[in-house]
Amino acid sequence: MQENKENNTTDTAGYLDMDLLRFSTAGSVDDGKSTLIGRLMYDTKSIFEDQIEAVEKSSKSRGDEHINLALLTDGLKAEREQGITIDVAYRYFATPKRKFIIADTPGHVQYTRNMVTGASNVDLAIILIDARKGVIEQTKRPSFIASLLQIKHVIVCINKMDLVDYSEEVYEKIRKDYLSFDAKLEIPDIRFIPISALNGDNVVDKSEHMDWYKGPSLLWTLENVHVASDRDLIDGRFPVQWVIRPQSDEYHDFRGYAGLVSGGIFRKGEEVVVLPSGFTTKIKSIETMDGELQQAFPPMSVAMTLEDEIDVSRGDMLAKINNQPTIGQDIELMVCWLNVTPLKLGGKYTVKHTTNEARAIIKEVKYKVNVNTLEKNEGDKEVGANDIARITLKTAKPLLYDPYRKNRNTGSLIIIDDFTQQTVGAGMII
Amino acid sequence: MSSYNLSHLDQLESEAIYIFREVAAQFEKPVILFSGGKDSITMVHLAQKAFWPAKIPFPLLHIDTGHNFPEALEFRDNLAEKYKVNLDVGLVQDSIDKGTAVEEKGINPSRNTLQSITLLEKLEEGQYDAAFGGGRRDEEKARAKERFFSHRDDFGQWDPKNQRPELWNLYNGKKAPGESFRIFPISNWTEMDVWQYIKKEKIDLPSIYFSHKREVIKRNGTLIAKSPYNTLLDGEQYEEKVIRYRTLGCMTITGAVESEADTLDKIIEEVAAARQTERGGRADDKRSEAAMEDRKRQGYF
């Protein structure tokens, strides 16, 4: 391996200015996803000698011809034995420009559940297509899930180009097939890159084998895609997470409402409404241990103090007076069922939403969606693991919510089984 | 960068603060597991930020193997005083004396696996229902799949195949009586992030992280410090080297690196150029490919 220095940041000032991109990788079995991640980490020198040595050793004992880069990412024993990834695994690498967090999701049976989990926190999704196979049903699933989860940027990597003689025709056909299917989806930014993860073509550097491809490499795209404006900077939403009341003489009267800004920009002195009570007041100060701030925006964790003494507790929300969330108990949502025990129509569950929690009944299953064809099925109301369905809930107390499409923080919820305490459903409010 | 963009360190900090506050709200009796290392020192700093200007609303729990670096213990006591938090110490020696743990045989007996026994005993004794750990997903393969809220059964065991899915920033801390959680607020940080953050926040560290002279022996490619807990083999002898530590564990198994890095800037430069993961110097991970996963299943961090 080469020296590690050139690609790492030793310059502290530069490093402190780096931003963060979270992305997921999805694809079907054997499309080379683990190899691609291994390649990105290997080529950006994010893998260390002892890791390479361990992988070389394992590759040899398995009888693999090359260093099997997939072994770097397949973490758990069972996976190594079966040669598949079971769960969402997180990987990290950095270039001088950006730090990257990869949610690596597996491509087999539990696929939908894991992909939804991995995709829930990302800015961008990489979808892999095997150039020999083209757009098949299994390609459509991750695309649909990316659309459902409102991921704004998708990079379709057409992989294994080395096995189709780096053919432009093959690439173009897959691109067209994908775009005709994609018309049904809501993804604002889609890009296509022909790659060979095994050989490194167009992964970090431009390939010498595909002169016909004029676009940038995958890494360049990941470094440059603009994601900061994807956050909701309009709808002021501050779910109160914890009330800070110091038991000290110095801060005797301090009452700070701590939380993470989930939407909009809050400014000192601004009028806000406390929900659900509806009292209005002004922001007296925005506090952090590093000093007072003039404004706070997503995803900052701060503590706010208010001008008036109002009863505010966890689960309440501060919002702008002229832009408030919906307050309601009848909630319609798309749900991804995560558990092997099927959804019980009329069953009682606990719902977690922002910093709030409520008992809820599932009132209706409207339809299920076939994740391969995107067809709605109104006849089938059996919602089991990995199914996606449109349902309605009634909560025991009002939730303060927005449509998921508008705000991922105030539009998402999880459903918890009261008997097993398991997280059984992931909901996106319509 | 637009004015409404946070740097990656600010985003990681905010995420960790969110986790601390969430645990305070969802659990009865959380505790911060304090190893004395840079990750747990960083965690305590983040906890302070999460609840400022109030005190950290949790005690610290340190599992003392009895094989610790004296510098680390002194630092621990000063830190507890500085942050005005209660410090609870669990001694592996107590478990050995009680007969619940049995000392390993050999030339550098490790008390690393025994720590899990003392830890579980202390968690039960203190009735702690959530224990913060400084584990990071970039450290080791099995940790790459760890959740922020990691569920443990009655026996403190981790079941990697049956983890709760974690979506958005909605964390499910519900549990049956007797069950508990391990919480990892800095899951998404890398070694580099931690060092940069330590520099940015001017966080104090134990002196042994910085370059110093020490008598060591080279054993299986690892530099082991001279301590009362090691036995020299025939032909082995101590030699003085200029070294520092990248992680802190037992004196018996934590390998030093030869290094002149005596400032944070030099350490950061060294980390950037490093050819070995920081756990590469830990003999405990090398025992088998799945060593970490096996220890985690049994209740280790």
Side-chain angles (χ1 to χ4, degrees):
Chain A
M1 264 182 68
Q2 299 155 37
E3 273 302 302
N4 198 31
K5 281 172 186 152
E6 68 270 46
N7 229 327
N8 260 307
T9 42
T10 52
D11 164 25
T12 306
Y15 192 90
L16 296 178
D17 259 350
M18 276 165 69
D19 70 1
L20 180 62
L21 183 82
R22 296 175 197 245
F23 68 91
S24 62
T25 49
S28 49
V29 182
D30 297 332
D31 53 16
K33 184 165 51 68
S34 293
T35 310
L36 175 64
I37 295 172
R39 170 62 64 189
L40 277 171
M41 296 180 71
Y42 188 91
D43 285 1
T44 55
K45 323 286 189 284
S46 308
I47 289 168
F48 297 102
E49 254 169 21
D50 50 334
Q51 290 173 308
I52 288 286
E53 274 167 24
V55 165
E56 270 173 358
K57 223 171 95 190
S58 309
S59 302
K60 243 183 219 162
S61 71
R62 289 161 47 110
D64 294 336
E65 270 176 47
H66 306 280
I67 296 184
N68 188 341
L69 291 173
L71 291 177
L72 283 166
T73 61
D74 294 350
L76 301 179
K77 255 196 216 169
E79 289 175 336
R80 287 196 295 277
E81 283 155 12
Q82 296 164 25
I84 48 164
T85 27
I86 284 171
D87 203 332
V88 185
Y90 295 89
R91 306 288 160 196
Y92 304 85
F93 70 99
T95 67
K97 227 174 155 160
R98 264 189 174 157
K99 173 190 163 97
F100 298 95
I101 301 179
I102 312 174
D104 179 17
T105 58
H108 69 120
V109 198
Q110 288 292 319
Y111 175 80
T112 304
R113 156 200 148 129
N114 289 330
M115 164 95 202
V116 167
T117 304
S120 70
N121 280 321
V122 304
D123 311 296
L124 178 148
I126 292 180
I127 293 173
L128 276 126
I129 295 181
D130 185 330
R132 296 168 305 172
K133 294 182 188 156
V135 178
I136 52 175
E137 284 210 335
Q138 283 171 330
T139 321
K140 296 180 182 175
R141 272 191 291 178
S143 309
F144 170 60
I145 291 164
S147 163
L148 185 72
L149 273 286
Q150 293 283 313
I151 297 173
K152 308 281 188 220
H153 312 273
V154 165
I155 302 176
V156 180
C157 285
I158 298 162
N159 191 24
K160 307 198 181 179
M161 289 300 291
D162 52 318
L163 299 182
V164 295
D165 296 329
Y166 298 104
S167 156
E168 183 176 12
E169 264 167 66
V170 171
Y171 166 80
E172 275 303 328
K173 172 159 187 341
I174 293 173
R175 202 174 77 92
K176 280 187 190 124
D177 286 352
Y178 189 92
L179 285 172
S180 66
F181 139 79
D182 171 74
K184 297 181 198 168
L185 302 175
E186 273 184 58
I187 303 169
D189 174 24
I190 298 186
R191 306 165 196 221
F192 296 86
I193 305 177
I195 65 166
S196 162
L198 193 67
N199 299 333
D201 293 285
N202 286 335
V203 177
V204 170
D205 299 312
K206 285 291 297 282
S207 168
E208 291 165 9
H209 300 108
M210 290 177 274
D211 289 341
W212 49 264
Y213 171 72
K214 303 295 179 212
S217 72
L218 175 62
L219 184 66
W220 191 94
T221 311
L222 291 172
E223 281 184 313
N224 289 285
V225 63
H226 185 66
V227 293
S229 55
D230 296 342
R231 290 212 167 84
D232 177 3
L233 294 174
I234 295 162
D235 311 294
R237 305 287 184 259
F238 186 75
V240 175
Q241 199 184 2
W242 177 256
V243 183
I244 297 175
R245 299 181 65 180
Q247 311 291 322
S248 67
D249 294 338
E250 192 186 350
Y251 293 99
H252 186 72
D253 294 323
F254 186 96
R255 192 177 282 204
Y257 302 105
L260 185 136
V261 181
S262 296
I265 299 149
F266 287 89
R267 295 185 175 86
K268 181 182 175 172
E270 184 174 39
E271 277 209 301
V272 288
V273 59
V274 180
L275 297 171
S277 69
F279 287 113
T280 58
T281 182
K282 277 184 184 158
I283 297 172
K284 186 175 167 189
S285 65
I286 301 173
E287 305 278 355
T288 72
M289 195 172 98
D290 301 318
E292 254 196 65
L293 302 176
Q294 292 304 306
Q295 59 177 19
F297 52 88
M300 289 168 71
S301 282
V302 297
M304 300 208 199
T305 64
L306 302 175
E307 287 288 353
D308 303 287
E309 275 191 34
I310 302 175
D311 182 28
V312 183
S313 53
R314 177 174 165 90
D316 291 352
M317 188 186 285
L318 307 184
K320 303 290 177 83
I321 289 173
N322 55 7
N323 175 344
Q324 299 187 19
T326 307
I327 303 183
Q329 288 172 262
D330 293 293
I331 295 160
E332 193 156 345
L333 57 142
M334 297 300 292
V335 70
C336 172
W337 203 252
L338 308 168
N339 204 265
V340 286
T341 309
L343 173 151
K344 286 190 292 284
L345 190 58
K348 292 193 178 100
Y349 294 91
T350 295
V351 157
K352 259 188 191 292
H353 170 257
T354 64
T355 55
N356 212 340
E357 194 177 302
R359 301 273 296 149
I361 295 182
I362 297 181
K363 299 292 277 187
E364 190 188 356
V365 175
K366 296 204 152 174
Y367 56 79
K368 261 171 62 172
V369 182
N370 180 327
V371 291
N372 293 322
T373 62
L374 310 193
E375 277 163 10
K376 292 174 188 171
N377 186 342
E378 290 178 14
D380 183 5
K381 312 268 174 166
E382 290 291 313
V383 181
N386 298 298
D387 282 343
I388 289 174
R390 183 159 172 156
I391 65 168
T392 55
L393 284 177
K394 186 167 186 77
T395 53
K397 67 174 185 190
L399 298 185
L400 308 159
Y401 65 90
D402 293 292
Y404 183 78
R405 183 173 287 126
K406 190 162 146 186
N407 189 311
R408 283 169 99 178
N409 294 312
T410 54
S412 56
L413 57 81
I414 56 171
I415 300 172
I416 297 168
D417 183 303
D418 291 327
F419 300 103
T420 64
Q421 291 95 27
Q422 287 281 342
T423 304
V424 294
M428 287 139 281
I429 300 172
I430 290 163
Chain B
M1 223 180 262
S2 89
S3 52
Y4 298 117
N5 200 4
L6 291 183
S7 76
H8 78 292
L9 286 180
D10 287 341
Q11 289 193 45
L12 291 172
E13 178 191 75
S14 177
E15 180 179 79
I17 288 174
Y18 183 84
I19 298 288
F20 273 108
R21 289 169 173 172
E22 207 52 29
V23 170
Q26 289 195 34
F27 292 89
E28 297 283 322
K29 210 176 167 195
V31 64
I32 297 177
L33 265 200
F34 185 77
S35 73
K38 67 178 192 311
D39 297 326
S40 59
I41 293 166
T42 300
M43 250 197 337
V44 174
H45 180 81
L46 288 161
Q48 167 85 326
K49 285 195 140 183
F51 302 103
W52 182 92
K55 283 195 315 182
I56 299 170
F58 326 112
L60 303 184
L61 171 61
H62 179 235
I63 302 303
D64 186 346
T65 57
H67 292 172
N68 280 296
F69 290 92
E71 295 91 336
L73 294 181
E74 190 189 333
F75 187 90
R76 173 197 76 186
D77 295 339
N78 292 339
L79 180 122
E81 208 163 290
K82 180 180 148 198
Y83 288 100
K84 300 190 179 65
V85 286
N86 290 328
L87 174 67
D88 191 355
V89 176
L91 300 171
V92 170
Q93 190 61 50
D94 286 352
S95 304
I96 292 171
D97 294 345
K98 270 194 296 185
T100 49
V102 179
E103 186 98 74
E104 272 187 17
K105 304 270 189 298
I107 45 157
N108 48 348
S110 165
R111 286 183 163 184
N112 211 32
T113 44
L114 306 188
Q115 277 185 94
S116 306
I117 296 168
T118 310
L119 170 63
L120 294 176
E121 285 172 359
K122 286 301 286 186
L123 290 177
E124 195 170 341
E125 181 192 307
Q127 296 190 312
Y128 298 117
D129 57 353
F132 291 98
R136 308 188 323 263
R137 288 168 177 161
D138 82 320
E139 274 181 278
E140 209 278 338
K141 281 192 286 201
R143 281 193 168 154
K145 314 218 153 176
E146 187 59 274
R147 304 293 194 255
F148 281 87
F149 276 40
S150 179
H151 179 261
R152 300 298 154 114
D153 67 14
D154 258 356
F155 301 97
Q157 297 183 100
W158 184 55
D159 178 3
K161 276 190 164 174
N162 193 26
Q163 298 197 76
R164 293 180 185 179
E166 244 168 27
L167 298 110
W168 298 291
N169 55 6
L170 297 167
Y171 296 97
N172 174 4
K174 295 199 181 291
K175 58 189 179 345
E179 296 178 348
S180 62
F181 275 79
R182 301 289 167 83
I183 312 284
F184 300 103
I186 60 167
S187 288
N188 276 334
W189 300 46
T190 61
E191 184 186 15
M192 188 59 154
D193 296 330
V194 173
W195 281 114
Q196 291 287 350
Y197 188 74
I198 285 168
K199 180 174 158 63
K200 175 174 172 272
E201 298 288 307
K202 302 185 176 69
I203 297 170
D204 285 335
L205 290 182
S207 57
I208 54 180
Y209 276 110
F210 299 91
S211 177
H212 60 284
K213 282 187 190 150
R214 188 179 286 266
E215 284 192 87
V216 292
I217 38 168
K218 191 160 194 169
R219 195 173 272 171
N220 300 327
T222 306
L223 295 176
I224 301 289
K226 180 178 183 180
S227 76
Y229 323 111
N230 271 327
T231 321
L232 282 183
L233 292 175
D234 279 350
E236 280 185 338
Q237 56 181 12
Y238 290 113
E239 49 183 323
E240 193 179 80
K241 286 189 185 288
V242 177
I243 56 112
R244 66 174 201 89
Y245 287 90
R246 287 177 74 185
T247 64
L248 296 192
C250 285
M251 289 186 86
T252 55
I253 53 163
T254 306
V257 288
E258 288 190 66
S259 167
E260 305 270 339
D262 54 2
T263 64
L264 277 177
D265 279 328
K266 287 184 193 166
I267 289 173
I268 288 165
E269 204 167 311
E270 197 178 277
V271 170
R275 311 300 311 126
Q276 291 263 321
T277 60
E278 57 190 320
R279 295 194 75 90
R282 304 246 325 214
D284 45 336
D285 288 343
K286 288 188 176 164
R287 292 186 175 188
S288 84
E289 195 186 358
M292 173 68 110
E293 189 183 337
D294 290 339
R295 273 181 293 135
K296 278 180 74 78
R297 283 174 187 271
Q298 290 155 11
Y300 186 76
F301 256 71

